[in-house]
Amino acid sequence: MNRNIERIHGRLAGTGVSYRAHLKTAKSVEVGRRQMLTPTGPAMVSTLKEAERFADAGVTDITYGVGIAPQKLDEVLALRARGVDLSVILDNVAQAEAVAAASSPGMRIPALIEIDCDGHRSGVKPDDAALLLAIAGALEPAAELRGVLTHGGESYVARGRAALEAAAEGERRAVVTAAGTLRAAGHACPVVSVGSTPTFMSATGFDGLTEFRAGVCVFFDLFQAGVGVCNVDDIALSVLATVIGHQHDKGWIITDAGWMAMSRDRGTAAQSVDQGYGVVCQLDGTPYDNLIVVGANQEHGIVAARAGSGASIPDLPVGARLRVLPNHACSTAAQYDRYEVLRDGAVAEKWPRFSGW
Amino acid sequence: MNRNIERIHGRLAGTGVSYRAHLKTAKSVEVGRRQMLTPTGPAMVSTLKEAERFADAGVTDITYGVGIAPQKLDEVLALRARGVDLSVILDNVAQAEAVAAASSPGMRIPALIEIDCDGHRSGVKPDDAALLLAIAGALEPAAELRGVLTHGGESYVARGRAALEAAAEGERRAVVTAAGTLRAAGHACPVVSVGSTPTFMSATGFDGLTEFRAGVCVFFDLFQAGVGVCNVDDIALSVLATVIGHQHDKGWIITDAGWMAMSRDRGTAAQSVDQGYGVVCQLDGTPYDNLIVVGANQEHGIVAARAGSGASIPDLPVGARLRVLPNHACSTAAQYDRYEVLRDGAVAEKWPRFSGW
């Protein structure tokens, strides 16, 4: 994890673009403190619960990265009243009107307009000038138009360096276009924000951007390894499992780490190498040859050789312990209330994490 | 939920078979108290944390339903020393030797031998008399052979009443066969246990059984509706979501309930009706016509008409609230630390739940 964070902090050197640490993956104050550039931020969160927990830990520069619902503005105002510069995002006039109505001269809520750079979820199309200006007009002057923001969901299905660079360039172009439209109409639009772990790791052009957001890169996972933006050896999160039996006729080792322990995330299923419910490693993190979790019940993992690999099954008796690397750090970590921090192979610390909303 | 529990408690009337409530779905003392036949059990758990929490709540008859790892026997002994009749399960001689070694004349740990009735996970083949007797011989007399147990995983892919009844009969025959082998060799084997929600709801033959286990039936879910053992109207668990935007050109409604809120469980994907990440309902629980969560990001749900249905999209503005029925009650509930209990459409109580190990 420390090596990943060093890489994160060095990634934007010389570009003039800031790193806004997405804290949704780890949901841990201890991880967040290491991941952010400074003790107070910049930070990105996916829930207001994260905003509250990190505010409690002294973080004061936070963007809440899911389109704001009017019902949540009281929580936003309460956090801002505590001195947290919490900004929200939105992509429609109804939200902008709600944010403006909740603002007051002494408390103008800052909002970023979400841009849809590639059709994967929310956001205004970057060339929809009429909607951009309608939202900006509904926000200002009562509230503050802080900037524009996008997330390149297409990067998750990009394959190869050229496709990843193209996804990053698509992110950049979308927000720079939208910012230009808003500025031409007299809105300052100071923040121009992009982000996803694949584009963060791949981008080559930064013109016009002010910040890059990414979170999974603090731990990485098998999905990101499949995308090609990390190696399996970079994955800093694993699940400790114990062998509880075998079905020798099928070549199965049964463990006590099923899908509740790994999560139901099977993100690698659609990639060129399907890693099942995870890659099985020795306790020191060295993967066994082609040994994966081929199936899972709620509390049972079924470990076997990857289909077609012809790999032999290691002799792992009842009671033997394994580490399993996950498909997706966000979903696997969410199944736990703490991290056991390994130094030199021993648990050196336990860091609490939280979940929920 | 109350209606489901009434049906559970009436299901085995006149069969002479007891209901052992599986508490892994709800992981809630309040739900468990209603689900169990008595305040002290019988109960089934999937983790020792569940055993501890329900023991704290006065439950004294508990079976831990995942093959025991030797490292966990200290926790088992500690719970038994508190007066909990906690039994374990196993399917190999190494486990039996560990259980025998951890037992003492005043504290014989009771163990059930897990039987593999249909090849889906752990267990001894019902006709493998040599292994059954080797395990029993390793257990007794130091520890106690409490009985035999199986789980009919095949029932989850059974389609139609005849296939469900056959799965239930397969469960029954497997454990009755194994119990016969053990009894013929002089082992008492008092408990003969089967269970899964589909077989519990479908079984017609009970000869030789002493108990039936099931858990999901306390809430039910879209997967069980797809199997055919409940109706959508029986589903007693939903996720409350709020509309945060639209992509009108695609017919999408965007909500704040993504896969973190629903879980990554897509159990219905392999059924004849794929329900996406969930069926979308009005606040009173009435499903909208063919409106499902067609996609999800971590904190974004994408609601749209079921592909090919031609259903129209209801007018749901920003701030509108919806209920989403989940694919799988166990995995969705695990994303939350409490249940909000609805009576007459209002939140009457909040019941805590727990997760983890």
Side-chain angles (χ1 to χ4, degrees), chain B residues 86-111:
Chain B
L86 178 65
S87 53
V88 302
I89 74 170
L90 42 72
D91 72 352
N92 59 71
V93 171
Q95 288 171 303
E97 288 172 345
V99 168
S103 294
S104 56
M107 181 59 84
R108 294 172 70 221
I109 298 173

Side-chain angles (χ1 to χ4, degrees), chain A residues 19-336:
Chain A
Y19 170 64
R20 182 173 291 273
H22 209 318
L23 305 178
K24 66 165 185 166
T25 302
K27 295 194 185 186
S28 154
V29 168
E30 293 291 344
V31 176
R33 280 185 179 140
R34 288 160 175 80
Q35 185 185 346
M36 292 183 295
L37 289 175
T38 81
T40 60
M44 186 84 176
V45 297
S46 68
T47 64
L48 286 178
K49 183 169 181 176
E50 290 165 61
E52 282 163 15
R53 295 296 179 91
F54 287 106
D56 291 346
V59 182
T60 56
D61 175 3
I62 305 179
T63 300
Y64 168 43
V66 177
I68 191 69
Q71 294 93 330
K72 295 175 185 166
L73 285 165
D74 283 348
E75 275 178 86
V76 171
L77 286 168
L79 276 160
R80 289 193 57 81
R82 287 171 55 186
V84 179
D85 184 15
L86 178 65
S87 52
V88 302
I89 74 169
L90 42 73
D91 71 354
N92 59 71
V93 172
Q95 288 172 304
E97 289 173 345
V99 169
S103 293
S104 56
M107 182 59 86
R108 294 171 72 221
I109 299 173
L112 294 94
I113 301 179
E114 186 173 6
I115 306 300
D116 178 14
C117 65
D118 54 15
H120 282 273
R121 64 183 187 206
S122 300
V124 180
K125 302 287 180 293
D127 56 359
D128 189 346
L131 182 54
L132 287 170
L133 296 177
I135 294 170
L139 271 177
E140 292 197 322
E144 174 195 339
L145 176 60
R146 178 66 62 87
V148 290
L149 160 153
T150 197
H151 165 71
E154 184 68 16
S155 68
Y156 287 82
V157 292
R159 292 293 172 270
R161 178 133 285 276
L164 285 164
E165 287 180 11
E169 176 58 15
E171 271 190 339
R172 190 196 67 79
R173 198 172 45 235
V175 281
V176 168
T177 298
T181 299
L182 291 161
R183 287 171 182 157
H187 299 282
C189 194
V191 173
V192 183
S193 174
V194 295
S196 81
T197 282
T199 56
F200 177 69
M201 301 303 294
S202 310
T204 54
F206 300 91
D207 279 1
L209 302 181
T210 67
E211 66 176 33
F212 224 121
R213 313 173 320 269
V216 174
C217 45
V218 71
F219 290 144
F220 285 123
D221 52 34
L222 293 169
F223 183 87
Q224 299 293 339
V227 170
V229 297
C230 72
N231 296 314
V232 169
D233 186 49
D234 295 321
I235 300 173
L237 188 80
S238 66
V239 170
L240 187 61
T242 301
V243 174
I244 59 172
H246 304 81
Q247 295 287 20
H248 292 292
D249 57 330
K250 300 192 184 81
W252 288 359
I253 300 166
I254 311 289
T255 77
D256 62 355
W259 58 253
M260 192 65 85
M262 299 308 304
S263 91
R264 271 291 197 194
D265 203 305
R266 289 277 292 101
T268 62
Q271 294 186 325
S272 59
V273 178
D274 183 345
Q275 304 284 22
Y277 280 92
V279 164
V280 179
C281 304
Q282 300 176 43
L283 273 185
D284 70 0
T286 309
Y288 287 103
D289 175 36
N290 279 301
L291 197 67
I292 64 173
V293 182
V294 296
N297 288 193
Q298 188 158 339
E299 299 288 348
H300 296 76
I302 300 176
V303 170
R306 187 189 307 280
S309 70
S312 59
I313 302 295
D315 179 28
L316 291 163
V318 166
R321 306 191 99 184
L322 313 164
R323 292 197 177 281
V324 187
L325 303 178
N327 277 260
H328 188 174
C330 299
S331 42
T332 300
Q335 304 300 98
Y336 296 86

